C-alpha cells in the first residue's frame, strides 16, 4: 500500500483488553507493528475505536486509548460509528477471548462472540454498508449460532476470517500435504484444557485434512472418550500407534524423565506415556467421505501440538509440529495478524470461514458426546463443505 494512502480505520470489539489477552496480542500489533519475514512491519492501519465488555484490575484499555489516541465507547454500535450516526470504520476485529464468563454443562465458556457479531451486523444493515470482520478463535460455542454468522457474511457480502494461530504458524518440519492427496488416517496430539485448547488442536487437524482429494465433505459422526477407555481404544485399533509415535517424534517438549535429567524418550514404546497422562481424552471424528481422524489430548506427556497422517502410496507417516513461540511476545500470533491484514488489503479472506464453522461444530458435538457418557453421535448437521486454499497458509520465513 502506498505510503500516502490513508490508514485503514479499525474498530476493536473485545471482552477484555489486558496483558496477554488476545485483544492485547493482536490489536497492539496493528498499532505498533509486528515482525514479519525478517523485518519489522508496520501495517497502514489505525485503531480508532474500542468497545470493551469488562475492565479487570489489570485492564490496559484506558492506557492504550491515551497512548494511541482512540476512543472507548459504551456500545458496539457507537464504536463502529465512532460516536456518529453512520458506520465510520473500514474493518472490525472481534476479540472475544478471556474475561469472566460462565460455562455451560458441556464446559464451554460462553464468550459473547455471536452477540458481538450480531450487533455489528445490525449496524451494517441499518447503515447500508458492510466491512470485513475478523472473529478470533471459535465462531461460537453453538454451531447453530456459528452457522448464522457465516450465512450473514455471505448474505451481506463481506469477507469473514476466523480461527486461531495454529494453521498459520511455523511447522517443524514445514509439511504441506499435497492438494488432492488421499489421506488414509490422521491424528493430532494436543494439550491444555477444554474448551480453549482442544479447539486449537482440532483446527490444526482440520487445516491439514481439508487438503484431501475432493476437499472438505463434512463430518458424519463424533465420539469423545476419556481415561482408560482411550488406551483401550488404541489397543482395539481405533487410533494408530504408528501415527501417535510419528506425531510424538516431532515434539520438543517430552516431560517426565526428560525434564528430570535431560534424557530423550520413546514415550510410547517405553510405556512412559501411560504413566505421565493421568486423564487422556480421545476425540474421534468420522468424515462423510470415510476419513477417520483422532485428536488425543495428552496433558502431562508433552507441551506442544503435533500432527501425523498416513497418505496413500507413501510408505512412511507424514508428521509435523505446529511451532508455538514462547511468551510474552508469542510471535506466532503475528503470523495470524499478517493474514488479517491480507484480508483487509485484498478484500478476500485467505481461507474460508467454513473451516472455523466446521471445527466449532465438531468441538460442540464432541463435548456433547462427553456429557452423554462417551456415546458416538451422528452429526448430519455438520455437512459443511468447502475447498481449501490452493497453498497452505503457514509461515515459512
Amino acid at each position: 500500500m502506498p505510503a500516502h494512502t490513508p490508514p485503514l480505520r479499525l474498530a476493536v470489539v473485545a471482552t477484555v483488553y489486558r496483558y496477554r489477552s488476545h485483544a492485547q496480542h493482536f490489536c497492539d500489533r496493528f498499532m505498533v507493528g509486528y515482525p514479519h519475514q525478517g523485518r519489522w512491519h508496520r501495517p497502514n492501519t489505525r485503531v480508532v475505536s474500542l468497545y470493551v465488555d469488562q475492565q479487570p484490575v489489570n485492564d490496559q484499555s484506558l492506557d492504550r486509548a491515551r497512548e494511541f489516541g482512540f476512543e472507548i465507547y459504551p456500545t458496539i454500535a457507537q464504536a463502529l460509528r465512532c460516536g456518529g450516526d453512520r458506520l465510520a470504520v473500514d474493518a472490525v476485529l472481534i476479540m472475544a477471548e478471556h474475561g469472566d464468563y460462565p460455562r455451560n454443562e458441556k464446559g464451554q465458556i460462553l464468550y459473547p462472540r455471536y452477540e458481538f457479531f450480531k450487533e455489528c451486523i445490525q449496524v451494517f444493515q441499518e447503515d447500508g454498508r458492510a466491512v470485513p470482520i475478523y472473529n478470533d478463535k471459535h465462531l461460537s460455542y453453538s454451531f447453530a449460532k456459528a452457522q448464522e454468522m457465516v450465512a450473514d457474511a455471505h448474505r451481506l457480502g463481506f469477507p469473514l476470517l476466523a480461527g486461531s494461530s495454529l494453521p498459520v504458524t511455523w511447522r517443524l518440519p514445514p509439511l504441506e500435504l499435497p492438494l488432492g492427496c488421499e489421506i488414509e488416517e490422521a491424528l493430532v496430539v494436543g494439550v491444555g484444557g477444554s474448551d480453549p485448547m482442544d479447539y486449537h488442536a482440532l483446527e490444526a487437524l482440520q487445516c491439514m485434512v481439508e487438503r484431501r482429494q475432493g476437499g472438505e465433505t463434512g463430518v458424519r459422526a463424533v465420539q469423545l472418550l476419556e481415561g482408560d477407555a482411550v488406551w483401550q481404544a488404541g489397543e482395539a485399533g481405533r487410533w494408530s500407534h504408528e501415527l501417535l509415535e510419528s506425531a510424538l517424534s516431532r515434539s520438543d517438549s517430552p516431560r517426565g524423565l526428560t525434564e528430570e535429567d535431560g534424557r530423550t524418550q520413546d514415550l510410547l514404546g517405553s510405556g512412559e506415556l501411560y504413566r505421565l497422562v493421568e486423564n487422556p481424552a480421545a476425540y474421534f471424528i468420522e468424515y462423510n467421505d470415510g476419513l477417520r481422524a483422532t485428536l488425543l489430548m495428552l496433558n502431562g506427556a508433552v507441551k506442544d501440538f503435533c500432527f501425523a497422517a498416513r497418505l496413500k502410496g507413501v510408505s512412511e507417516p507424514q508428521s509435523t509440529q505446529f511451532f508455538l513461540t514462547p511468551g510474552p511476545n508469542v510471535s506466532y500470533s503475528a503470523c495470524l495478524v499478517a493474514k488479517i491484514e491480507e484480508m483487509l488489503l485484498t478484500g478476500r479472506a485467505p481461507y474460508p470461514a467454513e473451516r472455523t464453522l466446521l471445527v466449532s461444530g465438531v468441538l460442540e458435538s464432541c463435548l456433547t458426546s462427553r456429557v452423554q457418557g462417551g456415546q458416538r453421535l451422528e452429526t448430519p448437521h455438520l455437512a459443511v463443505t468447502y475447498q481449501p486454499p490452493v497453498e497452505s497458509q503457514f509461515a515459512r520465513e
Side-chain angles (χ1 to χ4, degrees):
M1 181 178 290
H4 64 272
T5 303
L8 296 172
R9 294 166 57 86
L10 307 183
V12 176
V13 177
T15 47
V16 296
Y17 201 125
R18 58 163 174 78
Y19 175 58
R20 299 191 73 172
S21 67
H22 281 205
Q24 184 262 313
H25 277 318
F26 288 85
C27 301
D28 279 10
R29 285 166 165 76
F30 282 105
M31 294 185 283
V32 303
Y34 55 91
H36 183 60
Q37 296 182 344
R39 62 190 176 92
W40 191 261
H41 172 69
R42 291 185 178 272
N44 192 26
T45 56
R46 180 184 169 206
V47 174
V48 295
S49 62
L50 170 67
Y51 168 81
V52 60
D53 197 41
Q54 299 177 0
Q55 292 179 299
V57 292
N58 55 350
D59 171 69
Q60 292 179 313
S61 64
L62 294 174
D63 287 340
R64 289 294 195 271
R66 283 191 291 265
E67 182 177 356
F68 295 100
F70 60 80
E71 295 291 329
I72 301 175
Y73 292 95
T75 70
I76 292 173
Q78 287 175 291
L80 268 59
R81 293 175 173 134
C82 296
D85 57 7
R86 304 290 293 176
L87 179 64
V89 298
D90 299 306
V92 181
L93 309 179
I94 298 177
M95 313 301 299
E97 179 87 356
H98 304 119
D100 185 14
Y101 295 91
R103 290 180 180 263
N104 62 16
E105 72 283 355
K106 300 174 189 176
Q108 296 172 288
I109 304 174
L110 304 182
Y111 289 124
R113 297 184 176 99
Y114 168 83
E115 290 75 14
F116 285 3
F117 184 91
K118 295 300 284 188
E119 290 194 47
C120 296
I121 295 299
Q122 183 174 346
V123 171
F124 293 174
Q125 293 178 150
E126 291 175 354
D127 295 359
R129 184 168 74 93
V131 298
I133 290 180
Y134 168 68
N135 183 92
D136 186 45
K137 288 279 293 285
H138 316 46
L139 285 163
S140 173
Y141 55 85
S142 159
F143 178 76
K145 291 181 176 180
Q147 196 170 34
E148 185 179 338
M149 294 164 74
V150 173
D152 281 340
H154 289 310
R155 175 172 57 86
L156 296 180
F158 65 87
L160 171 63
L161 184 64
S164 77
S165 300
L166 263 72
V168 297
T169 190
W170 298 271
R171 296 177 188 172
L172 301 178
L175 174 67
E176 180 176 54
L177 297 185
L179 190 64
C181 64
E182 294 187 54
I183 304 177
E184 297 180 338
E185 186 178 0
L187 180 146
V188 67
V189 171
V191 292
S194 181
D195 71 337
M197 304 313 292
D198 45 9
Y199 172 85
H200 279 296
L202 289 170
E203 192 176 46
L205 171 69
Q206 186 59 34
C207 79
M208 303 299 281
V209 302
E210 70 186 13
R211 299 183 62 78
R212 67 194 185 275
Q213 188 176 67
E216 186 47 62
T217 61
V219 170
R220 70 184 180 198
V222 302
Q223 186 178 18
L224 196 161
L225 299 179
E226 294 181 301
D228 289 342
V230 172
W231 309 135
Q232 293 165 7
E235 293 303 318
R238 287 287 304 278
W239 52 264
S240 165
H241 285 77
E242 181 186 32
L243 290 185
L244 177 57
E245 179 184 25
S246 183
L248 290 174
S249 76
R250 300 301 185 183
S251 173
D252 288 319
S253 61
R255 307 191 68 184
L257 294 174
T258 300
E259 291 181 320
E260 293 174 17
D261 62 14
R263 74 182 68 190
T264 57
Q265 295 182 85
D266 176 7
L267 289 173
L268 183 60
S270 68
E272 185 73 356
L273 179 72
Y274 306 108
R275 185 185 72 83
L276 292 173
V277 183
E278 294 182 358
N279 187 34
Y283 298 59
F284 296 110
I285 305 163
E286 302 172 34
Y287 289 87
N288 284 327
D289 60 1
L291 174 65
R292 291 176 179 262
T294 304
L295 160 61
L296 293 178
M297 294 294 284
L298 300 179
N299 292 319
V302 294
K303 297 179 183 179
D304 36 31
F305 294 79
C306 300
F307 167 86
R310 186 181 300 108
L311 306 188
K312 185 176 181 179
V314 180
S315 59
E316 295 295 325
Q318 304 295 292
S319 58
T320 191
Q321 176 196 147
F322 294 87
F323 182 56
L324 300 179
T325 51
N329 198 33
V330 290
S331 57
Y332 59 84
S333 65
C335 301
L336 183 50
V337 172
K339 296 302 175 183
I340 300 169
E341 186 180 359
E342 178 183 331
M343 176 181 69
L344 303 185
L345 295 175
T346 65
R348 298 185 303 274
Y351 40 89
E354 280 77 6
R355 174 198 291 168
T356 312
L357 172 63
L358 182 57
V359 174
S360 299
V362 166
L363 177 56
E364 180 193 26
S365 293
C366 284
L367 298 179
T368 301
S369 169
R370 181 173 67 183
V371 299
Q372 294 184 5
Q375 292 185 23
R376 178 182 177 274
L377 301 180
E378 300 281 346
T379 55
H381 62 294
L382 297 184
V384 177
T385 62
Y386 66 91
Q387 291 297 318
V390 173
E391 293 187 1
S392 297
Q393 301 291 309
F394 69 94
R396 300 170 190 262
E397 297 185 52

